[in-house]
């Protein structure tokens, strides 16, 4: 498998980043919506700790992904003959995914900092806060994290449905060229 | 009759001469602090008790006669974290419903070799458990105003605070460092107003 993308297929680095982030984000969204209603317990604190650690990891992976995307330059083109509205929808939903995947961990980190909670990456090392205790920042960072979360659930659903549409209805290469592993010879 | 009178005069002289020595100190609530440093998930955090009432009788020249009696309103805990401050008074931690106040008493004080340093034998009653602990402190001041500073480390599990599921030190550290910084003033003995301080 080639590490760098070319005009036909995504490279190994982008694929690995895409699927790692995808799995982490789906898990984070599920755990995140579930954990908030848990009664306070030591397990809740641990689950929050894991959620925060995984979220910070997604932030780091997103920064790597953006840097890599800029660096490798080449990327597969959209399927031939795709209508203009679909191109616009693909472009804007991808942009929004990138934005939401940055806003989500950043707002969580900010919320955590303003609420004066510690942040320890998987029990290994402490990540400093973005701000000191601040009820006002806490309130709006929490709201941003909450609503971006629901927005992201919508975006991810749209992204999955679009991929399936390309694969099952249009029968084009869109999903296959991101699928893990070496390309099948045809 | 004359004998009774002389005993009485003698007694008055003795009593009348002592107050400036074993002074009762009043705490300035605005500038005095009762804080603690604990750790959660590997990070230190600082908390404080907003309400506590110390009764202090202390004379640096006669530490053996000193006595401390401090009552701490546990529900007044403030760690600048709303969720934590809601959780701490609960039954797993301070259990303020059953034990609203902690009480610290100390007597048997002695001067340590270093100037201005003293140590007393203290007892902390917290969440239904009473434990003896050494109470070292520094004392700076004159006959009217003074500052007391102390740092005492205790183990929260000795008092059953956060036992059971919360006992894991990776979640909440066991050691709690209590920091006491009191600004003290003697009540004016002859009706003279104490000097105004900014």
């Amino acid at each position: 498998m080639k590490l760098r993308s070319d005009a036909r297929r995504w490279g190994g680095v982008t694929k690995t980043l895409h699927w790692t982030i995808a799995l982490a984000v789906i898990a984070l969204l599920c755990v995140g919506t579930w954990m908030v209603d848990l009664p306070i317990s030591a397990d809740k604190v641990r689950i929050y700790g894991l959620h925060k650690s995984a979220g910070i990891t997604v932030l780091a992976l997103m920064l790597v992904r953006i840097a890599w995307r800029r660096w490798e330059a080449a990327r597969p083109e959209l399927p031939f003959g795709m209508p203009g509205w679909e191109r616009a929808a693909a472009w804007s939903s991808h942009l929004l995914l990138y934005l939401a995947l940055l806003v989500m961990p950043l707002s969580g980190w900010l919320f955590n900092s303003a609420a004066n909670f510690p942040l320890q990456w998987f029990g290994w090392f402490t990540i400093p806060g973005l701000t000191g205790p601040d009820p006002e920042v806490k309130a709006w960072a929490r709201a941003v994290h909450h609503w971006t979360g629901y927005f992201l659930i919508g975006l991810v659903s749209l992204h999955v449905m679009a991929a399936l549409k390309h694969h099952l209805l249009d029968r084009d290469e869109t999903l296959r060229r991101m699928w893990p592993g070496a390309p099948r010879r045809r | 009759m004359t004998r009774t009178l002389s005993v009485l005069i003698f007694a008055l002289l003795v009593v009348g001469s002592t107050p400036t020595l074993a002074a009762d100190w009043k705490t300035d609530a605005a500038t005095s602090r009762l804080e603690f440093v604990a750790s959660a998930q590997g990070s230190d955090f600082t908390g404080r008790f907003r309400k506590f009432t110390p009764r202090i009788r202390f004379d640096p020249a006669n530490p053996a006669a000193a006595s401390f009696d401090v009552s701490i309103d546990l529900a007044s805990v403030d760690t600048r974290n709303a969720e934590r401050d809601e959780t701490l008074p609960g039954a797993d931690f301070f259990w303020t419903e059953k034990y609203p106040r902690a009480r610290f008493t100390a007597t048997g004080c002695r001067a340590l070799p270093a100037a201005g340093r003293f140590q007393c034998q203290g007892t902390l009653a917290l969440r239904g458990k009473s434990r003896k602990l050494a109470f070292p402190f520094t004392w700076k001041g004159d006959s009217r105003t003074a500052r007391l500073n102390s740092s005492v480390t205790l183990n929260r599990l000795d008092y059953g605070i956060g036992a059971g599921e919360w006992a894991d030190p990776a979640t909440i550290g066991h050691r709690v460092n209590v920091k006491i910084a009191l600004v003290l003033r003697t009540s004016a003995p002859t009706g003279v107003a104490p000097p105004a301080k900014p």
Side-chain angles (χ1 to χ4, degrees):
Chain A
M1 185 164 62
K2 279 169 67 181
L3 289 181
R4 291 174 66 169
S5 306
D6 55 36
R8 287 198 57 236
R9 207 167 283 282
W10 294 104
V13 173
T14 299
K15 279 185 186 180
T16 307
L17 286 166
H18 172 270
W19 289 106
T20 310
I21 291 168
L23 290 176
V25 165
I26 290 165
L28 278 164
L29 288 169
C30 293
V31 170
T33 45
W34 163 71
M35 71 182 189
V36 289
D37 294 323
L38 288 176
I40 180 71
S41 70
D43 283 337
K44 180 175 186 172
V45 172
R46 279 184 209 110
I47 291 161
Y48 268 70
L50 291 174
H51 177 87
K52 295 168 192 178
S53 301
I56 288 289
T57 310
V58 167
L59 177 62
L61 292 177
M62 280 306 294
L63 295 177
V64 172
R65 188 163 176 197
I66 290 164
W68 179 261
R69 185 189 165 108
R70 288 189 71 85
W71 183 79
E72 73 174 355
R75 71 186 62 127
E77 282 155 26
L78 293 173
F80 180 75
M82 202 166 145
W85 75 268
E86 272 191 38
R87 287 174 182 276
W91 182 84
S92 51
S93 62
H94 290 149
L95 178 71
L96 287 172
L97 270 169
Y98 274 85
L99 283 177
L101 290 176
L102 292 173
V103 169
M104 212 44 200
L106 283 172
S107 60
W109 188 3
L110 188 63
F111 171 35
N112 192 70
S113 313
N116 199 21
F117 274 111
L119 181 51
Q120 204 181 29
W121 195 78
F122 292 112
W124 279 16
F125 56 88
T126 295
I127 295 168
L130 294 173
T131 172
D134 188 330
E136 218 169 284
V137 174
K138 180 189 168 186
W140 68 252
R142 184 200 177 122
V144 169
H145 197 65
H146 179 90
W147 293 112
T148 309
Y150 283 110
F151 183 63
L152 190 55
I153 290 173
L155 272 177
V156 170
S157 309
L158 183 71
H159 186 69
V160 170
M161 285 191 292
L164 291 175
K165 181 232 174 215
H166 280 283
H167 193 68
L168 300 174
L169 300 180
D170 303 338
R171 292 171 181 277
D172 61 26
E173 286 287 302
T174 308
L175 180 59
R176 215 173 283 123
R177 67 194 188 184
M178 183 54 104
W179 204 251
R184 237 182 321 145
R185 298 212 169 270
R186 303 212 304 169
Chain B
M1 179 67 194
T2 41
R3 209 183 131 160
T4 322
L5 197 66
S6 59
V7 168
L8 196 67
I9 288 168
F10 179 72
L12 276 172
L13 280 171
V14 169
V15 171
S17 63
T18 44
T20 48
L21 292 174
D24 285 319
W25 296 86
K26 282 204 161 84
T27 311
D28 185 68
T31 48
S32 295
R33 293 180 81 87
L34 175 56
E35 297 188 338
F36 60 91
V37 179
S39 70
Q41 292 162 73
S43 294
D44 285 354
F45 69 91
T46 303
R48 71 178 188 116
F49 293 97
R50 293 182 176 280
K51 291 181 198 156
F52 61 101
T53 44
R55 287 170 56 192
I56 297 170
R57 174 166 276 237
F58 183 73
D59 171 15
N62 184 17
S67 72
F68 293 80
D69 191 336
V70 187
S71 174
I72 302 135
D73 180 353
L74 295 170
S76 74
V77 67
D78 175 13
T79 67
R80 303 191 76 191
N81 175 319
E83 287 79 6
R84 194 157 53 207
D85 293 347
E86 270 171 37
T87 307
L88 279 175
D92 285 346
F93 296 93
F94 294 147
W95 203 359
T96 59
E97 214 180 312
K98 192 153 186 233
Y99 304 105
R101 305 183 81 83
R103 190 176 176 205
F104 176 73
T105 51
T107 51
C109 304
R110 62 194 168 88
L112 295 176
R117 291 195 64 85
F118 300 87
Q119 181 157 320
C120 313
Q121 287 160 20
T123 304
L124 177 62
L126 173 58
R127 203 183 181 274
K129 293 222 169 85
S130 196
R131 294 252 172 186
K132 291 201 183 311
L133 44 89
F135 172 49
F137 63 90
T138 61
W139 182 276
K140 254 185 233 163
D142 50 38
S143 61
R144 280 185 170 272
T145 59
R147 281 169 185 275
L148 182 155
N149 284 280
S150 177
S151 170
V152 176
T153 299
L154 45 88
N155 184 329
R156 64 182 176 88
L157 291 181
D158 287 347
Y159 301 89
I161 291 172
E165 62 165 324
W166 297 100
D168 181 2
T171 311
I172 309 170
H174 290 176
R175 287 156 65 88
V176 178
N177 180 219
V178 180
K179 290 181 171 183
I180 304 145
L182 303 180
V183 179
L184 302 162
R185 192 169 295 190
T186 44
S187 45
T190 54
V192 180
K197 280 245 167 179

